[in-house]
Amino acid sequence: MTGRRSDACAQQPAAREDPPVATTVHRAPGLLRCMLEERRRTDTVWLAHLVICDESPDVTGDDSATVEAFVAAARHGVADTTQALHRMQQGTYGICEACGKDIPLGRLRNLPHARFCVRCQRRAAQRWSAPLPTAPPW
């Protein structure tokens, strides 16, 4: 065998470029689906544990109002993730419900069940926290 390489070996593949960074949900649906499913499992297990604790308050030492607040939060978490998985199935996941623009992937990684982009979420929060009109002093 000589020191020459065959033509096939001489042609080296072009340097691979890094894949583009996923900036929208459309480029990383598998990861987000796994995150949502894991979150729903975790919240469901936590909810079952809390229901048992609510029936036996001696287990946690928490008062019933605290346990009820935890139960409500866990139920809310299960509902949020279930709705997000439904939106994913319908093809509307990752789209802001207010403005119709894509929700950035970074926001969905931090809050996988997000329904609004940050801008629209802030607007909604401002509306919700606006002071109620006061009654006239008379």
Short mmCIF file of all heavy atoms in Angstrom, two decimals, residues 39-103:
data_model
loop_
_atom_site.label_atom_id
_atom_site.label_comp_id
_atom_site.label_asym_id
_atom_site.label_seq_id
_atom_site.Cartn_x
_atom_site.Cartn_y
_atom_site.Cartn_z
N ARG A 39 -43.69 18.01 34.64
CA ARG A 39 -44.32 18.95 35.58
C ARG A 39 -45.70 18.46 35.99
O ARG A 39 -46.09 18.52 37.15
CB ARG A 39 -44.41 20.33 34.92
CG ARG A 39 -45.20 21.36 35.67
CD ARG A 39 -44.43 21.88 36.87
NE ARG A 39 -45.24 22.73 37.67
CZ ARG A 39 -45.18 24.05 37.66
NH1 ARG A 39 -44.32 24.66 36.89
NH2 ARG A 39 -45.95 24.75 38.44
N ARG A 40 -46.47 17.95 35.02
CA ARG A 40 -47.81 17.45 35.35
C ARG A 40 -47.72 16.23 36.27
O ARG A 40 -48.49 16.12 37.22
CB ARG A 40 -48.58 17.10 34.07
CG ARG A 40 -50.01 16.69 34.39
CD ARG A 40 -50.89 16.59 33.19
NE ARG A 40 -50.36 15.62 32.23
CZ ARG A 40 -50.98 15.31 31.10
NH1 ARG A 40 -52.11 15.90 30.78
NH2 ARG A 40 -50.46 14.43 30.29
N ARG A 41 -46.77 15.33 36.00
CA ARG A 41 -46.59 14.16 36.89
C ARG A 41 -46.23 14.61 38.30
O ARG A 41 -46.80 14.12 39.28
CB ARG A 41 -45.50 13.23 36.34
CG ARG A 41 -45.98 12.26 35.29
CD ARG A 41 -44.92 11.21 34.98
NE ARG A 41 -43.71 11.77 34.42
CZ ARG A 41 -43.50 11.99 33.12
NH1 ARG A 41 -44.43 11.69 32.24
NH2 ARG A 41 -42.37 12.50 32.69
N THR A 42 -45.29 15.53 38.40
CA THR A 42 -44.85 16.02 39.71
C THR A 42 -46.00 16.67 40.46
O THR A 42 -46.22 16.40 41.65
CB THR A 42 -43.70 17.02 39.54
OG1 THR A 42 -42.62 16.38 38.86
CG2 THR A 42 -43.22 17.55 40.87
N ASP A 43 -46.74 17.54 39.78
CA ASP A 43 -47.88 18.21 40.43
C ASP A 43 -48.97 17.22 40.83
O ASP A 43 -49.60 17.37 41.87
CB ASP A 43 -48.46 19.28 39.51
CG ASP A 43 -47.58 20.52 39.42
OD1 ASP A 43 -46.69 20.69 40.28
OD2 ASP A 43 -47.79 21.33 38.51
N THR A 44 -49.19 16.19 40.01
CA THR A 44 -50.20 15.19 40.32
C THR A 44 -49.81 14.39 41.56
O THR A 44 -50.64 14.15 42.45
CB THR A 44 -50.42 14.25 39.12
OG1 THR A 44 -50.82 15.04 37.99
CG2 THR A 44 -51.48 13.21 39.41
N VAL A 45 -48.55 14.00 41.64
CA VAL A 45 -48.07 13.26 42.82
C VAL A 45 -48.17 14.15 44.06
O VAL A 45 -48.61 13.71 45.12
CB VAL A 45 -46.63 12.75 42.60
CG1 VAL A 45 -46.01 12.25 43.89
CG2 VAL A 45 -46.61 11.67 41.54
N TRP A 46 -47.76 15.40 43.93
CA TRP A 46 -47.81 16.34 45.04
C TRP A 46 -49.26 16.56 45.48
O TRP A 46 -49.56 16.60 46.67
CB TRP A 46 -47.16 17.65 44.62
CG TRP A 46 -47.13 18.73 45.66
CD1 TRP A 46 -47.63 19.98 45.53
CD2 TRP A 46 -46.58 18.67 46.97
NE1 TRP A 46 -47.43 20.71 46.67
CE2 TRP A 46 -46.78 19.92 47.58
CE3 TRP A 46 -45.94 17.68 47.71
CZ2 TRP A 46 -46.37 20.22 48.87
CZ3 TRP A 46 -45.53 17.98 49.00
CH2 TRP A 46 -45.74 19.23 49.57
N LEU A 47 -50.17 16.67 44.52
CA LEU A 47 -51.58 16.85 44.84
C LEU A 47 -52.13 15.65 45.61
O LEU A 47 -52.81 15.81 46.61
CB LEU A 47 -52.39 17.07 43.55
CG LEU A 47 -53.89 17.27 43.71
CD1 LEU A 47 -54.19 18.47 44.60
CD2 LEU A 47 -54.53 17.45 42.34
N ALA A 48 -51.79 14.44 45.15
CA ALA A 48 -52.25 13.23 45.86
C ALA A 48 -51.71 13.20 47.29
O ALA A 48 -52.44 12.89 48.23
CB ALA A 48 -51.80 11.98 45.10
N HIS A 49 -50.45 13.58 47.46
CA HIS A 49 -49.85 13.62 48.80
C HIS A 49 -50.57 14.65 49.68
O HIS A 49 -50.87 14.38 50.85
CB HIS A 49 -48.37 13.96 48.68
CG HIS A 49 -47.69 14.16 49.99
ND1 HIS A 49 -47.40 13.11 50.84
CD2 HIS A 49 -47.27 15.28 50.62
CE1 HIS A 49 -46.82 13.58 51.93
NE2 HIS A 49 -46.73 14.90 51.81
N LEU A 50 -50.87 15.81 49.11
CA LEU A 50 -51.53 16.85 49.88
C LEU A 50 -52.95 16.46 50.28
O LEU A 50 -53.40 16.79 51.38
CB LEU A 50 -51.56 18.16 49.08
CG LEU A 50 -50.22 18.87 48.96
CD1 LEU A 50 -50.32 19.98 47.93
CD2 LEU A 50 -49.76 19.40 50.30
N VAL A 51 -53.64 15.77 49.40
CA VAL A 51 -55.00 15.32 49.72
C VAL A 51 -54.95 14.36 50.91
O VAL A 51 -55.77 14.45 51.82
CB VAL A 51 -55.69 14.69 48.49
CG1 VAL A 51 -56.97 13.98 48.88
CG2 VAL A 51 -55.96 15.76 47.44
N ILE A 52 -53.97 13.48 50.91
CA ILE A 52 -53.80 12.56 52.04
C ILE A 52 -53.48 13.34 53.31
O ILE A 52 -54.04 13.08 54.37
CB ILE A 52 -52.71 11.51 51.74
CG1 ILE A 52 -53.18 10.57 50.64
CG2 ILE A 52 -52.34 10.74 53.00
CD1 ILE A 52 -52.09 9.69 50.07
N CYS A 53 -52.61 14.34 53.19
CA CYS A 53 -52.25 15.16 54.34
C CYS A 53 -53.44 15.96 54.85
O CYS A 53 -53.59 16.18 56.05
CB CYS A 53 -51.11 16.11 53.99
SG CYS A 53 -49.55 15.28 53.73
N ASP A 54 -54.28 16.42 53.93
CA ASP A 54 -55.45 17.19 54.32
C ASP A 54 -56.42 16.33 55.14
O ASP A 54 -57.08 16.82 56.05
CB ASP A 54 -56.16 17.74 53.08
CG ASP A 54 -57.17 18.82 53.43
OD1 ASP A 54 -56.98 19.51 54.44
OD2 ASP A 54 -58.14 18.98 52.67
N GLU A 55 -56.46 15.05 54.82
CA GLU A 55 -57.33 14.13 55.57
C GLU A 55 -56.72 13.76 56.92
O GLU A 55 -57.44 13.35 57.82
CB GLU A 55 -57.60 12.88 54.73
CG GLU A 55 -58.44 13.17 53.49
CD GLU A 55 -58.54 11.99 52.55
OE1 GLU A 55 -57.95 10.93 52.84
OE2 GLU A 55 -59.20 12.13 51.51
N SER A 56 -55.40 13.86 57.03
CA SER A 56 -54.70 13.55 58.28
C SER A 56 -53.78 14.71 58.63
O SER A 56 -52.58 14.68 58.36
CB SER A 56 -53.87 12.28 58.11
OG SER A 56 -54.64 11.23 57.63
N PRO A 57 -54.30 15.77 59.24
CA PRO A 57 -53.49 16.95 59.51
C PRO A 57 -52.29 16.70 60.40
O PRO A 57 -51.34 17.47 60.41
CB PRO A 57 -54.45 17.94 60.16
CG PRO A 57 -55.76 17.27 60.27
CD PRO A 57 -55.65 15.90 59.69
N ASP A 58 -52.30 15.61 61.14
CA ASP A 58 -51.17 15.31 62.03
C ASP A 58 -49.90 15.00 61.24
O ASP A 58 -48.80 15.12 61.76
CB ASP A 58 -51.50 14.12 62.92
CG ASP A 58 -52.74 14.35 63.77
OD1 ASP A 58 -53.18 15.51 63.86
OD2 ASP A 58 -53.26 13.37 64.33
N VAL A 59 -50.04 14.61 59.97
CA VAL A 59 -48.89 14.19 59.16
C VAL A 59 -47.92 15.34 58.93
O VAL A 59 -46.72 15.19 59.07
CB VAL A 59 -49.36 13.59 57.82
CG1 VAL A 59 -48.18 13.28 56.91
CG2 VAL A 59 -50.19 12.35 58.06
N THR A 60 -48.43 16.51 58.54
CA THR A 60 -47.54 17.63 58.21
C THR A 60 -47.38 18.62 59.35
O THR A 60 -46.40 19.35 59.38
CB THR A 60 -48.07 18.40 56.99
OG1 THR A 60 -49.33 18.98 57.32
CG2 THR A 60 -48.18 17.52 55.78
N GLY A 61 -48.36 18.71 60.20
CA GLY A 61 -48.31 19.71 61.26
C GLY A 61 -48.82 21.05 60.79
O GLY A 61 -48.85 22.00 61.56
N ASP A 62 -49.19 21.16 59.52
CA ASP A 62 -49.72 22.41 58.99
C ASP A 62 -51.21 22.51 59.30
O ASP A 62 -51.91 21.51 59.38
CB ASP A 62 -49.52 22.49 57.47
CG ASP A 62 -48.05 22.60 57.09
OD1 ASP A 62 -47.32 23.30 57.81
OD2 ASP A 62 -47.66 22.00 56.08
N ASP A 63 -51.66 23.74 59.43
CA ASP A 63 -53.10 23.92 59.65
C ASP A 63 -53.83 23.65 58.34
O ASP A 63 -53.25 23.64 57.27
CB ASP A 63 -53.39 25.33 60.17
CG ASP A 63 -52.98 26.40 59.19
OD1 ASP A 63 -51.78 26.78 59.19
OD2 ASP A 63 -53.84 26.83 58.41
N SER A 64 -55.12 23.42 58.44
CA SER A 64 -55.89 23.01 57.26
C SER A 64 -55.92 24.11 56.20
O SER A 64 -55.96 23.81 55.01
CB SER A 64 -57.31 22.61 57.65
OG SER A 64 -57.99 23.70 58.23
N ALA A 65 -55.88 25.38 56.58
CA ALA A 65 -55.89 26.47 55.60
C ALA A 65 -54.62 26.44 54.75
O ALA A 65 -54.67 26.66 53.54
CB ALA A 65 -56.03 27.81 56.30
N THR A 66 -53.49 26.15 55.36
CA THR A 66 -52.23 26.06 54.62
C THR A 66 -52.25 24.89 53.66
O THR A 66 -51.87 25.03 52.49
CB THR A 66 -51.04 25.92 55.60
OG1 THR A 66 -51.02 27.05 56.48
CG2 THR A 66 -49.73 25.84 54.87
N VAL A 67 -52.71 23.75 54.13
CA VAL A 67 -52.78 22.57 53.27
C VAL A 67 -53.74 22.83 52.11
O VAL A 67 -53.46 22.48 50.97
CB VAL A 67 -53.18 21.31 54.07
CG1 VAL A 67 -53.41 20.12 53.15
CG2 VAL A 67 -52.11 20.98 55.11
N GLU A 68 -54.87 23.48 52.39
CA GLU A 68 -55.83 23.80 51.33
C GLU A 68 -55.21 24.74 50.30
O GLU A 68 -55.48 24.60 49.09
CB GLU A 68 -57.09 24.42 51.91
CG GLU A 68 -57.97 23.40 52.63
CD GLU A 68 -59.17 24.04 53.29
OE1 GLU A 68 -59.56 25.18 52.91
OE2 GLU A 68 -59.74 23.41 54.19
N ALA A 69 -54.38 25.68 50.73
CA ALA A 69 -53.71 26.58 49.79
C ALA A 69 -52.73 25.80 48.91
O ALA A 69 -52.64 26.04 47.70
CB ALA A 69 -52.98 27.69 50.55
N PHE A 70 -52.01 24.86 49.52
CA PHE A 70 -51.10 24.01 48.74
C PHE A 70 -51.87 23.14 47.74
O PHE A 70 -51.44 22.96 46.60
CB PHE A 70 -50.27 23.12 49.65
CG PHE A 70 -49.19 23.83 50.42
CD1 PHE A 70 -48.83 23.38 51.68
CD2 PHE A 70 -48.52 24.92 49.90
CE1 PHE A 70 -47.82 24.02 52.40
CE2 PHE A 70 -47.52 25.56 50.60
CZ PHE A 70 -47.17 25.11 51.86
N VAL A 71 -53.01 22.62 48.17
CA VAL A 71 -53.85 21.80 47.28
C VAL A 71 -54.31 22.63 46.09
O VAL A 71 -54.27 22.19 44.94
CB VAL A 71 -55.04 21.18 48.04
CG1 VAL A 71 -56.07 20.60 47.09
CG2 VAL A 71 -54.57 20.12 49.03
N ALA A 72 -54.76 23.85 46.36
CA ALA A 72 -55.23 24.73 45.29
C ALA A 72 -54.10 25.03 44.31
O ALA A 72 -54.30 25.02 43.09
CB ALA A 72 -55.80 26.02 45.87
N ALA A 73 -52.90 25.29 44.83
CA ALA A 73 -51.75 25.57 43.96
C ALA A 73 -51.39 24.35 43.10
O ALA A 73 -51.09 24.49 41.92
CB ALA A 73 -50.55 26.01 44.80
N ALA A 74 -51.43 23.17 43.70
CA ALA A 74 -51.11 21.95 42.95
C ALA A 74 -52.17 21.69 41.87
O ALA A 74 -51.84 21.31 40.74
CB ALA A 74 -51.00 20.75 43.89
N ARG A 75 -53.43 21.89 42.22
CA ARG A 75 -54.50 21.73 41.21
C ARG A 75 -54.32 22.71 40.07
O ARG A 75 -54.52 22.38 38.90
CB ARG A 75 -55.87 21.93 41.85
CG ARG A 75 -56.33 20.75 42.64
CD ARG A 75 -57.77 20.90 43.10
NE ARG A 75 -58.16 19.71 43.82
CZ ARG A 75 -58.85 19.71 44.94
NH1 ARG A 75 -59.27 20.85 45.46
NH2 ARG A 75 -59.16 18.58 45.53
N HIS A 76 -53.96 23.93 40.41
CA HIS A 76 -53.72 24.96 39.39
C HIS A 76 -52.56 24.55 38.49
O HIS A 76 -52.63 24.72 37.27
CB HIS A 76 -53.45 26.30 40.08
CG HIS A 76 -53.43 27.46 39.16
ND1 HIS A 76 -54.55 27.92 38.51
CD2 HIS A 76 -52.40 28.26 38.76
CE1 HIS A 76 -54.21 28.95 37.76
NE2 HIS A 76 -52.92 29.18 37.90
N GLY A 77 -51.51 23.99 39.09
CA GLY A 77 -50.36 23.53 38.30
C GLY A 77 -50.72 22.41 37.34
O GLY A 77 -50.31 22.40 36.18
N VAL A 78 -51.52 21.45 37.81
CA VAL A 78 -51.96 20.35 36.96
C VAL A 78 -52.81 20.90 35.81
O VAL A 78 -52.63 20.53 34.65
CB VAL A 78 -52.75 19.29 37.76
CG1 VAL A 78 -53.40 18.28 36.84
CG2 VAL A 78 -51.83 18.58 38.75
N ALA A 79 -53.71 21.81 36.12
CA ALA A 79 -54.57 22.40 35.09
C ALA A 79 -53.76 23.18 34.06
O ALA A 79 -53.99 23.06 32.86
CB ALA A 79 -55.63 23.29 35.74
N ASP A 80 -52.81 23.99 34.54
CA ASP A 80 -51.98 24.79 33.62
C ASP A 80 -51.20 23.90 32.65
O ASP A 80 -51.16 24.17 31.45
CB ASP A 80 -50.99 25.66 34.40
CG ASP A 80 -51.64 26.87 35.04
OD1 ASP A 80 -52.79 27.19 34.67
OD2 ASP A 80 -50.99 27.50 35.89
N THR A 81 -50.56 22.86 33.19
CA THR A 81 -49.75 22.01 32.31
C THR A 81 -50.63 21.18 31.38
O THR A 81 -50.27 20.96 30.23
CB THR A 81 -48.82 21.10 33.12
OG1 THR A 81 -49.57 20.38 34.09
CG2 THR A 81 -47.75 21.90 33.84
N THR A 82 -51.79 20.76 31.85
CA THR A 82 -52.70 20.01 30.99
C THR A 82 -53.18 20.89 29.85
O THR A 82 -53.23 20.45 28.69
CB THR A 82 -53.90 19.47 31.81
OG1 THR A 82 -53.39 18.61 32.83
CG2 THR A 82 -54.87 18.70 30.94
N GLN A 83 -53.51 22.14 30.15
CA GLN A 83 -53.93 23.07 29.10
C GLN A 83 -52.80 23.34 28.11
O GLN A 83 -53.03 23.43 26.90
CB GLN A 83 -54.42 24.38 29.72
CG GLN A 83 -55.73 24.25 30.44
CD GLN A 83 -56.10 25.51 31.20
OE1 GLN A 83 -55.38 26.50 31.19
NE2 GLN A 83 -57.23 25.47 31.88
N ALA A 84 -51.57 23.46 28.62
CA ALA A 84 -50.43 23.69 27.73
C ALA A 84 -50.21 22.50 26.81
O ALA A 84 -49.94 22.67 25.61
CB ALA A 84 -49.17 23.97 28.56
N LEU A 85 -50.33 21.28 27.33
CA LEU A 85 -50.19 20.09 26.50
C LEU A 85 -51.31 20.03 25.46
O LEU A 85 -51.09 19.63 24.31
CB LEU A 85 -50.18 18.82 27.36
CG LEU A 85 -48.89 18.60 28.14
CD1 LEU A 85 -49.11 17.56 29.23
CD2 LEU A 85 -47.77 18.19 27.21
N HIS A 86 -52.50 20.46 25.83
CA HIS A 86 -53.62 20.51 24.87
C HIS A 86 -53.32 21.53 23.77
O HIS A 86 -53.54 21.26 22.58
CB HIS A 86 -54.92 20.85 25.59
CG HIS A 86 -56.10 20.92 24.68
ND1 HIS A 86 -56.66 19.81 24.11
CD2 HIS A 86 -56.81 21.99 24.23
CE1 HIS A 86 -57.67 20.18 23.34
NE2 HIS A 86 -57.78 21.49 23.41
N ARG A 87 -52.79 22.70 24.15
CA ARG A 87 -52.43 23.71 23.15
C ARG A 87 -51.35 23.17 22.22
O ARG A 87 -51.36 23.44 21.02
CB ARG A 87 -51.96 25.00 23.81
CG ARG A 87 -53.07 25.79 24.48
CD ARG A 87 -52.64 27.21 24.87
NE ARG A 87 -51.45 27.26 25.69
CZ ARG A 87 -51.41 27.17 27.01
NH1 ARG A 87 -52.54 26.97 27.68
NH2 ARG A 87 -50.27 27.26 27.67
N MET A 88 -50.43 22.39 22.77
CA MET A 88 -49.37 21.80 21.96
C MET A 88 -49.98 20.86 20.93
O MET A 88 -49.60 20.86 19.75
CB MET A 88 -48.36 21.08 22.85
CG MET A 88 -47.10 20.64 22.13
SD MET A 88 -45.88 19.95 23.27
CE MET A 88 -45.11 21.46 23.86
N GLN A 89 -50.94 20.06 21.37
CA GLN A 89 -51.60 19.11 20.48
C GLN A 89 -52.39 19.85 19.39
O GLN A 89 -52.44 19.40 18.25
CB GLN A 89 -52.52 18.21 21.28
CG GLN A 89 -53.15 17.09 20.50
CD GLN A 89 -54.01 16.21 21.39
OE1 GLN A 89 -54.59 16.67 22.38
NE2 GLN A 89 -54.10 14.95 21.06
N GLN A 90 -52.98 20.97 19.73
CA GLN A 90 -53.77 21.76 18.79
C GLN A 90 -52.91 22.62 17.85
O GLN A 90 -53.42 23.17 16.89
CB GLN A 90 -54.74 22.67 19.54
CG GLN A 90 -55.75 21.93 20.38
CD GLN A 90 -56.65 21.04 19.55
OE1 GLN A 90 -57.12 21.44 18.50
NE2 GLN A 90 -56.86 19.82 20.01
N GLY A 91 -51.62 22.75 18.18
CA GLY A 91 -50.73 23.56 17.36
C GLY A 91 -50.71 25.03 17.73
O GLY A 91 -50.18 25.85 16.97
N THR A 92 -51.27 25.39 18.88
CA THR A 92 -51.29 26.79 19.30
C THR A 92 -50.33 27.06 20.45
O THR A 92 -50.26 28.20 20.93
CB THR A 92 -52.72 27.21 19.71
OG1 THR A 92 -53.15 26.37 20.79
CG2 THR A 92 -53.68 27.10 18.54
N TYR A 93 -49.61 26.04 20.89
CA TYR A 93 -48.67 26.22 22.01
C TYR A 93 -47.54 27.13 21.56
O TYR A 93 -47.04 27.05 20.44
CB TYR A 93 -48.10 24.86 22.43
CG TYR A 93 -47.09 24.96 23.54
CD1 TYR A 93 -47.50 25.14 24.85
CD2 TYR A 93 -45.73 24.87 23.29
CE1 TYR A 93 -46.58 25.22 25.88
CE2 TYR A 93 -44.81 24.95 24.30
CZ TYR A 93 -45.23 25.13 25.60
OH TYR A 93 -44.31 25.22 26.62
N GLY A 94 -47.14 28.03 22.45
CA GLY A 94 -46.03 28.93 22.16
C GLY A 94 -46.45 30.18 21.41
O GLY A 94 -45.61 30.98 21.02
N ILE A 95 -47.74 30.37 21.24
CA ILE A 95 -48.26 31.57 20.58
C ILE A 95 -49.03 32.37 21.63
O ILE A 95 -49.91 31.84 22.31
CB ILE A 95 -49.19 31.19 19.40
CG1 ILE A 95 -48.41 30.39 18.37
CG2 ILE A 95 -49.79 32.45 18.78
CD1 ILE A 95 -49.26 29.78 17.29
N CYS A 96 -48.68 33.63 21.76
CA CYS A 96 -49.32 34.49 22.77
C CYS A 96 -50.81 34.59 22.47
O CYS A 96 -51.21 34.88 21.33
CB CYS A 96 -48.67 35.87 22.74
SG CYS A 96 -49.42 37.05 23.89
N GLU A 97 -51.62 34.36 23.48
CA GLU A 97 -53.07 34.41 23.31
C GLU A 97 -53.59 35.83 23.14
O GLU A 97 -54.72 36.03 22.69
CB GLU A 97 -53.77 33.74 24.49
CG GLU A 97 -53.54 32.25 24.54
CD GLU A 97 -54.24 31.55 25.70
OE1 GLU A 97 -55.04 32.21 26.41
OE2 GLU A 97 -53.97 30.36 25.90
N ALA A 98 -52.77 36.84 23.48
CA ALA A 98 -53.22 38.22 23.37
C ALA A 98 -52.82 38.85 22.04
O ALA A 98 -53.66 39.41 21.34
CB ALA A 98 -52.67 39.05 24.52
N CYS A 99 -51.54 38.73 21.67
CA CYS A 99 -51.06 39.41 20.46
C CYS A 99 -50.83 38.47 19.29
O CYS A 99 -50.66 38.94 18.16
CB CYS A 99 -49.78 40.19 20.76
SG CYS A 99 -48.33 39.16 21.12
N GLY A 100 -50.81 37.17 19.52
CA GLY A 100 -50.63 36.20 18.43
C GLY A 100 -49.20 36.00 17.98
O GLY A 100 -48.96 35.25 17.03
N LYS A 101 -48.25 36.62 18.66
CA LYS A 101 -46.84 36.44 18.30
C LYS A 101 -46.27 35.24 19.03
O LYS A 101 -46.82 34.78 20.03
CB LYS A 101 -46.04 37.70 18.65
CG LYS A 101 -46.45 38.91 17.84
CD LYS A 101 -45.62 40.12 18.22
CE LYS A 101 -46.07 41.33 17.42
NZ LYS A 101 -45.36 42.54 17.83
N ASP A 102 -45.13 34.74 18.54
CA ASP A 102 -44.46 33.62 19.20
C ASP A 102 -43.95 34.04 20.57
O ASP A 102 -43.41 35.13 20.73
CB ASP A 102 -43.26 33.13 18.38
CG ASP A 102 -43.66 32.30 17.18
OD1 ASP A 102 -44.84 31.91 17.09
OD2 ASP A 102 -42.79 32.04 16.33
N ILE A 103 -44.15 33.16 21.54
CA ILE A 103 -43.58 33.37 22.87
C ILE A 103 -42.13 32.89 22.79
O ILE A 103 -41.87 31.77 22.32
CB ILE A 103 -44.35 32.57 23.93
CG1 ILE A 103 -45.81 33.03 23.99
CG2 ILE A 103 -43.68 32.69 25.30
CD1 ILE A 103 -46.70 32.18 24.88
#
